[in-house]
Amino acid sequence: MSLSKVEPLFLAKLNQLQQQGVRKDDEKIITGILASEDGFGLRYQLHGYGGRAFLRMNSNSYLGLAQHPAVIEAEARAVEQYGAGPGAVRFISGTYASHVELERRLAAFHGREAAMLFSAAYATMVGVLPQLISGQTLVVSDALNHNCIINAIRLAQPAGKAIYAHGDMHDLEKILSTNRDRYQRVCVVTDGVFSMRGDHAPLDEFDACCAKHQSDYPEGIVTVVDDSHGIGAFGKTGRGTEEITGGRADVLVATLGKAFGVNGGYVTASATVIAYLRETAPSYIYSNPITPAEAAAALAALDILESTEGLDQLNRLRNLSTKLRSGLQQLGFETLPGEHPIVPVFIRDTAKTAALVAHLFDHNILATGLNYPVVPQGDQEIRLQVSAGHTERDLDYLLNALADFSQ
């Protein structure tokens, strides 16, 4: 069959994205990592850019564990023991000892009865959320929830959907009050830490609001939180938004691909919920799991996170994030308060955002610009992401480059 009739439509869409200034274009290819020296952290080399060495300010590896010797060694040992891949989906013959042990450890880490691994956090949300939604369920979602939540809701086709203003518990209260006679069940879903801004949901108030209306619905209210950017990067012991706020989700989704420095996603909840999801979640049943070696590497990362070294790295991460926010404010840039290592720099203009990204790149700094429609119109920003692998000298270098930019 020919693509001649549809390719012009695809090209028109690509041209439209280019004109809007939101086309991603070619991906930058990392070809090497240079060791820390002279008080600076790691530097990255890119294909096509000669010997230039870049400071990476757009990585989710908040604790720098992707380069930790113990994590690398654990993965290498497991590859030697089990091979490069799982060879099958879990229920056929793809379950390895490291998968089972990691699930046990993650459940214990979060104080839950059980946990369940997926190939990615996106696959986790898309696999889990529709299974919690029936044909008589209202789904209520924060206005700034991640794309994985949005698409999971679309896939679920709930009886009703409502969006509450970002972090607005009064708006959530209104939605739950006005729909009490219309649905059997409610599923309320939110990010823990919001990936574009680094702010977090008030889970304590969120829980209280949902508990107040629990008896209004025959099948109750199920709360789902995706804290992929919070776990391992937020809270004194890295337990994320729940630790910061004191709230607690019924179903908690997170990732191994950010602070843990590996790959994959997971969900943790009651034993009954996890048993149910193993039988019903398509992205678990029909998709290969993370490799046994990745699971072993994640176990090593969890060991580090739960150690004195992990606590020290979390403290370092908070201090570096505070330093960057303070430096931005002194330079007159707009950001948000907080302790999370996502530090947004609001430019609020698409052209200026693109210009700042280019300016930083010219100074050998990798940073990500977020423009409409990825973020709401008027919220255009540069998203800076701090890692415990950064140094104070790295942040001084970044702030000096920002000082040279004409706003």
Side-chain angles (χ1 to χ4, degrees), residues 189-211:
V189 57
T190 181
D191 282 335
V193 171
F194 292 85
S195 61
M196 301 302 171
R197 300 159 58 95
D199 59 339
H200 63 274
L203 290 188
D204 49 347
E205 299 174 44
F206 177 88
D207 282 355
C209 182
C210 293

Side-chain angles (χ1 to χ4, degrees), residues 200-261:
H200 63 274
L203 290 188
D204 49 347
E205 299 174 44
F206 177 88
D207 282 355
C209 182
C210 293
K212 178 180 175 182
H213 293 279
Q214 183 74 235
S215 61
D216 293 339
Y217 298 89
E219 296 179 4
I221 297 176
V222 179
T223 60
V224 182
V225 175
D226 183 344
D227 207 18
S228 290
H229 283 275
I231 302 304
F234 204 34
K236 184 178 179 181
T237 67
R239 285 171 169 80
T241 308
E242 290 188 334
E243 182 173 18
I244 288 286
T245 64
R248 186 174 173 86
D250 294 322
V251 179
L252 179 67
V253 170
T255 185
L256 304 170
K258 294 182 170 59
F260 287 104

Side-chain angles (χ1 to χ4, degrees), residues 116-127:
M116 174 177 167
L117 297 173
F118 285 78
S119 60
Y122 201 111
T124 307
M125 183 57 72
V126 171

Side-chain angles (χ1 to χ4, degrees), residues 144-163:
L144 294 188
N145 274 344
H146 190 271
N147 179 268
C148 69
I149 295 174
I150 295 169
N151 278 338
I153 293 171
R154 288 174 179 160
L155 183 64
Q157 297 182 324
K161 182 180 74 173
I163 308 296

Side-chain angles (χ1 to χ4, degrees), residues 101-314:
E101 177 61 11
L102 179 56
E103 288 173 335
R104 185 190 70 79
R105 288 284 305 281
L106 288 169
F109 179 75
H110 292 292
R112 260 73 171 193
E113 293 179 341
M116 174 177 167
L117 297 173
F118 285 78
S119 60
Y122 201 111
T124 307
M125 183 57 72
V126 171
V128 167
L129 191 61
Q131 310 317 313
L132 305 176
I133 295 169
S134 72
Q136 295 178 307
T137 298
L138 169 69
V139 177
V140 187
S141 178
D142 188 287
L144 294 188
N145 274 344
H146 190 271
N147 179 268
C148 69
I149 295 174
I150 295 169
N151 278 338
I153 293 171
R154 288 174 179 160
L155 183 64
Q157 297 182 324
K161 182 180 74 173
I163 308 296
Y164 62 91
H166 176 52
D168 189 336
M169 296 299 99
H170 294 293
D171 201 16
L172 175 59
E173 164 81 29
K174 181 179 178 181
I175 291 168
L176 295 177
S177 295
T178 56
N179 284 284
R180 68 180 67 185
D181 297 323
R182 299 180 59 191
Y183 302 96
Q184 291 292 302
R185 183 190 312 170
V186 178
C187 183
V188 187
V189 57
T190 181
D191 282 335
V193 171
F194 292 85
S195 61
M196 301 302 171
R197 300 159 58 95
D199 59 339
H200 63 274
L203 290 188
D204 49 347
E205 299 174 44
F206 177 88
D207 282 355
C209 182
C210 293
K212 178 180 175 182
H213 293 279
Q214 183 74 235
S215 61
D216 293 339
Y217 298 89
E219 296 179 4
I221 297 176
V222 179
T223 60
V224 182
V225 175
D226 183 344
D227 207 18
S228 290
H229 283 275
I231 302 304
F234 204 34
K236 184 178 179 181
T237 67
R239 285 171 169 80
T241 308
E242 290 188 334
E243 182 173 18
I244 288 286
T245 64
R248 186 174 173 86
D250 294 322
V251 179
L252 179 67
V253 170
T255 185
L256 304 170
K258 294 182 170 59
F260 287 104
V262 190
N263 186 43
Y266 64 94
V267 59
T268 183
S270 69
T272 298
V273 167
I274 296 301
Y276 166 73
L277 291 172
R278 288 191 196 278
E279 299 294 332
T280 60
S283 54
Y284 174 86
I285 298 168
Y286 301 106
S287 181
N288 275 9
I290 60 173
T291 69
E294 287 173 326
L299 279 164
L302 187 55
D303 284 341
I304 294 165
L305 180 58
E306 292 194 288
S307 71
T308 300
E309 179 185 356
L311 295 178
D312 289 344
Q313 288 295 81
L314 282 163

